Amino acid sequence: MKDPNLYKLLTPGPLTTSMAVREAMLTDRCTWDDDYKEMTQEIRRSLLKLAHAGSKEYTAVLMQGSGTFGVESVLSSIPSDNDTVLVLVNGAYSERMITIMEREGVKHERLDFKWDEIPDAKKVGEYLDGHPEVTMVSMVHSETTTGILNDIEAVGKEVNRRSLKFIVDAMSSFGAVDIDVPEWGIDFLISSANKCVQGVPGFSFVIARRALLVASKGNARTLSLDLYDQYETMERDNGKWRFTSPTHVVAAFSEALKELKNEGGARARFARYEENERQLREGMKELGFKPYIKRRHQGPIITTFLYPEGVKIDFKNMHSYLKRHGYVIYPGKLTKADSFRLGNIGEIYEDDIRNILWLFEKYLKKLEE
Ligand SMILES: *Cc1c(COP(=O)(O)O)cnc(C)c1O
């Protein structure tokens, strides 16, 4: 067998998982067996706990597909034809919300912010006052495009004060940033299996305010992404998914949730990621790489770096050098500047950060030769 730890991923999902998470996938499971359905139910309960949400007010629904399928499921199932969704845009993932609603024919508007700035809650409030047609506000928490961590709590206050609905893509933050879903006034929170909970890719999940989800019955514009239908089946049949579910991925996720709990929950994981990020950012700065996001808005998930001035670096070449030495890095997603990204999440610890910094240093020296 090939070494399963040939290299580690410094990419924000898929990410490096533990051996126990991978081993959970060695059993083939049946989708309608009670023990498998109970695994789904236990996952749904654990997700609510992580979100600080009670099961009367909220429910967790799992949905096949990657994270985008979850976002599309919410944006195409929840708004009715009478709703207008305002999207706060400061990166590629909020931009994707617009694309989804264009395709699905959902009425929407956009409010743009600079990609290295967080959406200003006061500006959002002012916009909402001038636009009474808006009924829902949608935004990204951790914009993985840049690594910026948006202030969903402050925006949530503005949204809730006006009794509007609040949709949050917390794809790359949930599990590592402690999010109090009811307290922060979030009605729909979307995340996926292969980010900070440290599972493998294959499904997304939605923490949904139950009454609003039930009220959305019949709004869905597609069959397979119908969030209400999926919820209805899971509730009625004690954890049964509507269509074939990714059984191995679900088992891996169940194990990943246990590991998150054993690590000490979201706060402990946050501390580890944040320390990874800090050491990496400091070390990279010393080597001449400039972080794109200002420190006060920098999240612990992923960091965007600009190349050192005057040094010509070919991303592909650097990528293969680092991969040969055990680490996979991520290309940049900025439209205007040449950049690359390093993820701090997954089974990544202090030693890895030291290794990667040492490799970057060696690579730069090699370029000078
Ligand atoms: C990963 C991610 C998504 C979903 O991307 P997929 O490739 O569909 O998994 C959506 N939003 C954010 C902020 C993400 O980080």
Side-chain angles (χ1 to χ4, degrees):
M1 203 168 110
K2 245 167 78 178
D3 179 2
N5 290 313
L6 222 45
Y7 45 74
K8 291 187 179 180
L9 301 176
L10 296 175
T11 61
L15 37 63
T16 308
T17 54
S18 73
M19 201 49 80
V21 164
R22 288 179 239 172
E23 277 167 0
M25 294 187 284
L26 293 175
T27 304
D28 299 317
R29 291 175 168 84
C30 173
T31 53
W32 45 260
D33 269 0
D34 283 341
D35 48 359
Y36 177 70
K37 290 199 296 188
E38 178 49 29
M39 190 181 263
T40 297
Q41 295 296 68
E42 178 58 28
I43 287 174
R44 295 177 69 203
R45 288 190 290 269
S46 301
L47 289 175
L48 284 187
K49 257 190 223 141
L50 255 179
H52 304 278
S55 61
K56 242 180 100 173
E57 241 193 308
Y58 284 88
T59 184
V61 187
L62 315 186
M63 182 61 79
Q64 292 94 332
S66 80
T68 305
F69 291 62
V71 177
E72 184 149 4
S73 173
V74 168
L75 293 177
S76 67
S77 305
I78 302 303
S80 75
D81 289 339
N82 298 322
D83 284 306
T84 298
V85 184
L86 173 68
V87 183
L88 311 182
V89 181
N90 72 331
Y93 290 102
S94 31
E95 188 70 53
R96 190 177 291 173
M97 289 175 168
I98 302 276
T99 311
I100 288 171
M101 288 190 281
E102 275 169 2
R103 289 282 181 99
E104 300 278 3
V106 178
K107 276 191 286 185
H108 61 277
E109 294 173 14
R110 62 186 294 155
L111 184 57
D112 278 90
F113 296 87
K114 288 199 188 117
W115 283 22
D116 59 350
E117 277 174 20
I118 62 171
D120 177 31
K122 205 166 141 249
K123 278 193 192 142
V124 175
E126 284 163 9
Y127 184 93
L128 292 174
D129 287 339
H131 294 264
E133 72 282 5
V134 172
T135 54
M136 301 182 175
V137 175
S138 185
M139 72 183 291
V140 173
H141 186 204
S142 162
E143 250 298 356
T144 322
T145 317
T146 57
I148 200 167
L149 191 63
N150 291 331
D151 190 351
I152 51 174
E153 194 178 359
V155 173
K157 283 204 180 102
E158 298 296 328
V159 174
N160 279 276
R161 187 176 297 154
R162 292 163 180 84
S163 301
L164 308 178
K165 314 289 180 287
F166 193 28
I167 299 167
V168 173
D169 166 351
M171 205 69 64
S172 69
S173 54
F174 188 78
V177 181
D178 197 22
I179 303 173
D180 193 322
V181 170
E183 182 66 29
W184 295 7
I186 301 168
D187 297 301
F188 296 91
L189 176 143
I190 309 135
S191 189
S192 78
N194 62 294
K195 301 253 163 132
C196 296
V197 179
Q198 297 189 179
V200 301
F203 71 88
S204 58
F205 54 85
V206 181
I207 313 286
R209 200 181 285 278
R210 208 185 269 267
L212 293 178
L213 178 58
V214 170
S216 76
K217 180 180 177 180
N219 289 352
R221 288 143 181 94
T222 76
L223 171 69
S224 48
L225 294 177
D226 188 328
L227 192 64
Y228 172 79
D229 252 18
Q230 181 87 329
Y231 160 76
E232 199 274 330
T233 304
M234 280 189 176
E235 289 286 292
R236 181 170 36 81
D237 203 354
N238 304 314
K240 178 84 174 58
W241 300 50
R242 269 178 320 163
F243 311 128
T244 302
S245 59
T247 48
H248 301 79
V249 179
V250 170
F253 191 72
S254 169
E255 177 62 30
L257 278 170
K258 282 179 205 143
E259 289 184 358
L260 174 56
K261 198 172 166 202
N262 291 342
E263 187 171 344
R267 280 166 192 268
R269 188 155 286 181
F270 182 91
R272 173 164 64 89
Y273 288 174
E274 197 183 39
E275 185 56 18
N276 283 349
E277 200 283 328
R278 190 191 63 76
Q279 285 185 9
L280 194 61
R281 183 163 30 83
E282 292 307 315
M284 290 296 278
K285 262 166 49 185
E286 274 174 34
L287 294 174
F289 295 95
K290 195 170 168 267
Y292 173 70
I293 297 295
K294 283 187 278 306
R295 214 184 136 197
R296 69 194 151 102
H297 295 319
Q298 174 65 55
I301 314 302
I302 182 168
T303 317
T304 299
F305 291 101
L306 308 173
Y307 294 108
E309 262 172 63
V311 185
K312 258 207 104 42
I313 292 181
D314 174 53
F315 176 80
K316 267 200 165 146
N317 185 276
M318 181 166 74
H319 175 271
S320 25
Y321 174 84
L322 296 169
K323 188 172 171 188
R324 271 201 310 281
H325 291 85
Y327 293 93
V328 172
I329 65 170
Y330 215 43
K333 216 177 165 111
L334 298 180
T335 46
K336 289 185 183 114
D338 223 7
S339 63
F340 65 97
R341 292 175 291 171
L342 297 178
N344 311 300
I345 66 180
E347 285 297 291
I348 298 296
Y349 298 86
E350 221 179 303
D351 279 354
D352 297 300
I353 304 297
R354 248 198 310 276
N355 287 344
I356 188 85
L357 285 171
W358 181 71
L359 286 170
F360 271 111
E361 192 179 342
K362 265 187 32 173
Y363 182 74
L364 288 178
K365 283 220 179 89
K366 210 168 74 83
L367 284 185
E368 283 169 15
E369 282 162 11

